[in-house]
Amino acid sequence: ITYSIDGGDFTATMPQITNAGTYTIIVKASMANYDDATTTVTASIAKAPLSITADNKNRQYNVANPALTYQNSGLKGTDTLTLIGLTPATATTAVLTSPVGDYPITVSGAAETANYALTYNPGTLTITNSTAAMISSVRFAISASLNSDLTSLKSASGTPVLATSVN
């Protein structure tokens, strides 16, 4: 028994197909005093699904964005993202002074590879209040009030503050 893939030479080694695609395999049986018997088989190998998902991140207001990272799911065998030629990129619309809230983290890259059907999934960057910024704001408001009029001392939130003068 010999085999041929896509019209190539016949060989006694059974074909090992590892890449996605459609292949025509001819199997031929030869025996002395008999006509050769052949059969043709079409083999279709689908691309494997591969998901790249941005990791969710958190940071406080007025603090630099953390490193944006991602995870992958679906690589086969010994494949790595580098080996299949994929270098995903991450990005967010949040900047240092973005207000408290949620911001998208996107991950992007090639639309496809030879053996994988790719899906990119976003993550979320959550910006929270900065305790240090709030304390600094209150200190500034108190300091400004102390320098002007002790009788109208209020916190940054507008709450009256009891102050006494020490000489």
Side-chain angles (χ1 to χ4, degrees), residues 1 28-37:
I1 295 179
K28 179 169 70 171
S30 300
M31 196 168 169
N33 300 321
Y34 294 94
D35 291 337
D36 288 347

Side-chain angles (χ1 to χ4, degrees), residues 10-55:
F10 280 89
T11 176
T13 304
M14 184 178 286
Q16 300 294 314
I17 301 171
T18 57
N19 292 321
T22 301
Y23 302 89
T24 301
I25 303 168
I26 300 172
V27 181
K28 179 169 70 171
S30 300
M31 196 168 169
N33 300 321
Y34 294 94
D35 291 337
D36 288 347
T38 61
T39 189
T40 301
V41 176
T42 300
S44 293
I45 299 174
K47 291 182 177 190
L50 175 59
S51 295
I52 311 291
T53 302
D55 293 325

Side-chain angles (χ1 to χ4, degrees), residues 93-137:
T93 56
V95 296
L96 182 69
T97 57
S98 293
V100 169
D102 291 338
Y103 296 84
I105 300 173
T106 58
V107 61
S108 60
E112 63 180 54
T113 67
N115 293 315
Y116 292 94
L118 301 171
T119 302
Y120 294 98
N121 302 303
T124 301
L125 172 63
T126 300
I127 299 177
T128 60
N129 283 324
S130 169
T131 305
M134 289 173 28
I135 290 171
S136 175
S137 176

Side-chain angles (χ1 to χ4, degrees), residues 69-80:
T69 56
Y70 55 83
Q71 303 297 317
N72 68 74
S73 175
L75 287 170
K76 301 297 180 189
T78 59
D79 282 353
T80 64

